[in-house]
Amino acid sequence: TGPSASRSCRRVLARRSSSGTETPTKAESYLLSWGLSEQQLEKVRGRYRRNFNPNVEEKVKPLLNWLADLGLTQLQIQKAVVVLPSMFQCRLEQNIKPSVRWLLELGLDKSQVAKMIARDPRLCSRNLERALKPFVGWLSELGIKKSQIAKAIANQPQMFSRNIETNLKPKVRLLGERGFSQAEIARMLGSNPVILGLSLNRLTHRTSVLEAQGL
C-alpha cells in the first residue's frame, strides 16, 4: 500500500488514542493500512459478529495478497472486505483456491473470476462440493451447454446463492407446465439465464401474459 494509506492509518490511530477509544486490533490496523476508512472499518466490525481480530500473518495478509494477484483492484478488495469480513474465516488453500481452480477448469479466465468475486464476495465462502458443483451439475442436467453455464455464472455469480430445490426447480417446473419442452427450457435458460433470477410470482405473471397472447 502507498504512503497515503499509511498516513491515514496513523491519523486514525492517533485520533483513537487521544479520544480514549479502544485501540484497534492488529487486523484492524492492517486493514487501515490497506486503505480502509474508519467508517468502513466500523462496518467490518458490525458484520463480523465478534471481536475482529483474525490472524494477520495467517489469514488477512495471504487472502488480501491473493485477491490482488488474482486481479482485483485495491478498491474492489476494500469493498469485498466490507461486504464479507467473514471471508477471513475461510481457508484459502483448502477452500477458496480449489473453488477458483474449478471455475477456471469450467472455462472462465482469471479476469472473469476476479470480476465475479468483486461483484459477489460471498463466492469466497461458497463450498465447492456442496454449492458450486451441484449448481453447475443441475444446469448441465437441464441440457444447458458448458460454455453457456460459464457465461451465465460469470455475469451473475449471485446465482450460486439460490437454492436448487426451493428456488430454481419450481421455476423450471412452471415453464414445463406452461408447455415448454425440456429442450426449449434449456435453450431459453442458456440464452437468457436472468430468468432464473426472477421471483416465481413474477415468472408466473410473465408466462401468463405470453400464454394469453398466444406466444
Side-chain angles (χ1 to χ4, degrees), residues 21-67:
T21 56
E22 185 179 353
T23 303
T25 65
K26 290 182 178 180
E28 291 171 346
S29 297
Y30 188 75
L31 291 183
L32 288 169
S33 74
W34 252 74
L36 265 75
S37 67
E38 193 169 4
Q39 290 74 22
Q40 288 175 315
L41 191 57
E42 286 298 330
K43 291 180 180 179
V44 168
R45 292 193 190 98
R47 291 170 180 167
Y48 199 69
R49 298 180 181 177
R50 65 179 69 179
N51 181 41
F52 183 76
N53 195 26
N55 188 287
V56 172
E57 297 299 327
E58 295 179 5
K59 291 287 188 178
V60 182
K61 279 186 181 181
L63 181 54
L64 296 185
N65 290 334
W66 179 79
L67 289 172

Side-chain angles (χ1 to χ4, degrees), residues 155-187:
N155 293 329
Q156 300 181 63
Q158 66 273 19
M159 291 174 68
F160 285 119
S161 66
R162 298 183 183 118
N163 186 280
I164 294 175
E165 296 296 330
T166 61
N167 186 297
L168 302 178
K169 283 187 176 180
K171 297 171 185 176
V172 172
R173 281 198 298 269
L174 173 63
L175 293 174
E177 292 167 359
R178 295 301 191 193
F180 293 99
S181 68
Q182 186 73 21
E184 289 172 330
I185 292 174
R187 286 196 297 271

